[in-house]
Amino acid sequence: MFGIVRPCRHRLGDQLTGQWMAHLCGLCLSLRGDHGQFARIVTNYDGLLISVLTEAQAEMDSGMRRTAGPCPLRGMRTASVAQGEGARLAAAVSLVLASAKVRDHVADGDGLLARRPLALAARRVATGWGAAGARSGSAVGFDTAVLVDAVDRQVGIEALAGPGTPILAVTEPTETATAAAFAHTAILAGRPGNAEPLAEAGRLFGRLAHLLDAVEDQAADAAAGAWNPLTATGTSLAEARRLADDAVHGVRLALREAEFSDAKLVHLLLVHELRRSVDRAFGTVPTCASHQPGPYGQPHQHGHGHGHGHGHGHGHGQGQGQGYGQGPGPYGAPQNPYGGQNPYAGGIRTAAAGECPAVVAVAVAVTSAGWGRPAPQPRGRRGFWAGCGMFWLLCCTCKLCCAKEYEGPWSRKKREGCCRDCDCDCGDCCPCDGC
């Protein structure tokens, strides 16, 4: 649920970082305002693209921002956040897709959801989210039935897929759902002429998201005996890479056909960051010039970082590693991204003055799962409620944003911190004509 578009704030710069965070916070607050605090857990990076697209097409003075009050997840600071129909559409899409994901976990009996009482509770939550998403979608003129239908068809398509089945037949429901959501942003922004090119961009984005998820999960799925579209259809990684590259190029061409009031953030996220997502999934992320090997064959160290989290803990920290969170730090263990020694490595951490001992104890339990040591092989998936608890622990201990690698709260698959290592040449501007 974290998404494939995970920009580094060094590449974004201060202005675009502020815009990106405004949409992330806006999605989170829209979920809270319309559906309660618990609904904020479905906040995800890809969902906020709906809000970004809507605002990018709208008139500059259309009142799509407001000042939000202090929030613990952004250091008790106020902030300008996105509001209005774009944020509500993003919330509706996130709720419906999260509802489908929970129902899928219940059907598979994953983790604690194998127990009947918990499965019943999770099913009720999923039903509530689905209904809430439908209400929010209806309020902005979007019929979420297309999303529900896509999810239902996906199950049947996967059941029938086998060797020789075209991989694009498996990705089609995802493409259809994202195309509908992207196209509706043109209606909300008052630019109906953009609906067709944005539908094409959304279709290719859905294809790309499905392919990259399959590539990243293929090894873990094979170890767990789980279904994977690439393995099931016999699609090679070379073919998956070709399709992914074609999708990135197609998204760029489609965006050129649309009219925007301000296309900078859209272009960076849906062109440059998609390309980096493909490179990251296939293990071809280029090494940043500022992370060239030092005298002992390891990257140079760069001071200390600073993190900032909201929703799913976006942040940044520049430290050891090659590429976008790739490779170990010097001598095999990452340092504390906030400077100094890693407080969780090499022993039991005790509560300092002003710290809550219970929070510290939880942090030690979470980080002892692998921070600073070789990561274990993926185990079985966590259940829905256990995954929710682990998500908040990861968020509160900053591992979502700053850890070189952490265990996914639900899937247990290895993930990388959003901005643990910057893989960009931070001094260069975008050379293309889309910015």
Side-chain angles (χ1 to χ4, degrees), residues 49-75:
L49 291 174
I50 302 296
S51 179
V52 171
L53 282 169
T54 304
E55 185 179 83
Q57 298 173 80
E59 297 297 331
M60 300 301 291
D61 57 349
S62 56
M64 300 189 71
R65 293 290 181 90
R66 70 179 178 87
T67 301
C71 175
L73 295 177
R74 56 173 177 265

Side-chain angles (χ1 to χ4, degrees), residues 40-354:
R40 299 170 79 177
I41 199 171
V42 307
T43 304
N44 66 93
Y45 295 151
D46 289 349
L48 68 87
L49 291 174
I50 302 296
S51 179
V52 171
L53 282 169
T54 304
E55 185 179 83
Q57 298 173 80
E59 297 297 331
M60 300 301 291
D61 57 349
S62 56
M64 300 189 71
R65 293 290 181 90
R66 70 179 178 87
T67 301
C71 175
L73 295 177
R74 56 173 177 265
M76 297 305 296
R77 293 188 294 269
T78 60
S80 173
V81 302
Q83 66 171 350
E85 293 183 330
R88 297 186 71 185
L89 176 60
V93 172
S94 298
L95 281 167
V96 172
L97 296 182
S99 171
K101 192 177 186 71
V102 172
R103 291 201 309 270
D104 184 58
H105 288 323
V106 171
D108 293 342
D110 292 336
L112 293 176
L113 296 183
R115 301 179 181 180
R116 183 177 177 80
L118 293 177
L120 290 175
R123 190 176 290 111
R124 290 187 62 182
V125 170
T127 301
W129 280 351
R135 290 195 303 271
S136 292
S138 178
V140 295
F142 181 68
D143 186 2
T144 59
V146 65
L147 306 182
V148 176
D149 176 68
V151 172
D152 291 341
R153 286 191 298 109
Q154 186 74 55
V155 176
I157 290 173
E158 290 181 357
L160 296 175
T165 301
I167 187 66
L168 297 187
V170 179
T171 63
E172 181 274 325
T174 305
E175 296 178 22
T176 300
T178 51
F182 273 44
H184 197 69
T185 64
I187 307 302
L188 296 182
R191 293 185 185 264
N194 285 350
E196 185 175 348
L198 290 184
E200 177 66 6
R203 183 180 67 83
L204 294 172
F205 179 84
R207 175 184 300 179
L208 191 60
H210 203 134
L211 287 172
L212 297 190
D213 183 65
V215 170
E216 292 178 340
D217 295 349
Q218 189 172 27
D221 288 342
W227 192 90
N228 183 280
L230 298 180
T231 304
T233 60
T235 304
S236 67
L237 287 179
E239 175 64 8
R241 179 64 192 253
R242 185 188 68 81
L243 292 171
D245 288 340
D246 286 348
V248 171
H249 184 63
V251 168
R252 182 170 186 164
L253 294 178
L255 292 179
R256 287 182 178 178
E257 300 298 321
E259 296 181 1
F260 297 96
S261 299
D262 183 357
K264 289 183 179 179
L265 184 58
V266 169
H267 180 81
L268 190 144
L269 295 177
L270 288 178
V271 175
H272 295 280
E273 290 304 322
L274 280 188
R275 166 60 57 196
R276 292 180 182 274
S277 297
V278 172
D279 290 337
R280 186 168 60 242
F282 287 92
T284 57
V285 178
T287 301
C288 179
S290 59
H291 289 156
Q292 294 300 321
Y296 300 102
Q298 296 291 344
H300 290 294
Q301 180 176 346
H302 290 264
H304 68 278
H306 171 72
H308 174 74
H310 188 287
H312 275 63
H314 173 75
H316 77 280
Q318 198 169 354
Q320 294 75 23
Q322 294 178 331
Y324 199 96
Q326 303 293 324
Y331 316 112
Q335 293 183 346
N336 177 10
Y338 300 96
Q341 297 278 333
N342 181 352
Y344 300 99
I348 300 299
R349 186 180 188 277
T350 58

Side-chain angles (χ1 to χ4, degrees), residues 19-31:
Q19 292 183 29
W20 191 83
M21 289 301 301
H23 290 286
L24 185 62
C25 293
L27 171 57
C28 181
L29 293 175
S30 181
L31 287 165

Side-chain angles (χ1 to χ4, degrees), residues 308-400:
H308 174 74
H310 188 287
H312 275 63
H314 173 75
H316 77 280
Q318 198 169 354
Q320 294 75 23
Q322 294 178 331
Y324 199 96
Q326 303 293 324
Y331 316 112
Q335 293 183 346
N336 177 10
Y338 300 96
Q341 297 278 333
N342 181 352
Y344 300 99
I348 300 299
R349 186 180 188 277
T350 58
E355 290 186 300
C356 173
V359 171
V360 172
V362 170
V364 170
V366 173
T367 55
S368 64
W371 195 333
R373 296 198 300 272
Q377 293 297 314
R379 292 167 287 169
R381 296 181 62 91
R382 288 190 182 91
F384 175 72
W385 297 111
C388 292
M390 184 56 66
F391 161 73
W392 288 113
L393 291 177
L394 290 170
C395 183
C396 292
T397 55
C398 294
K399 292 190 74 175
L400 288 177

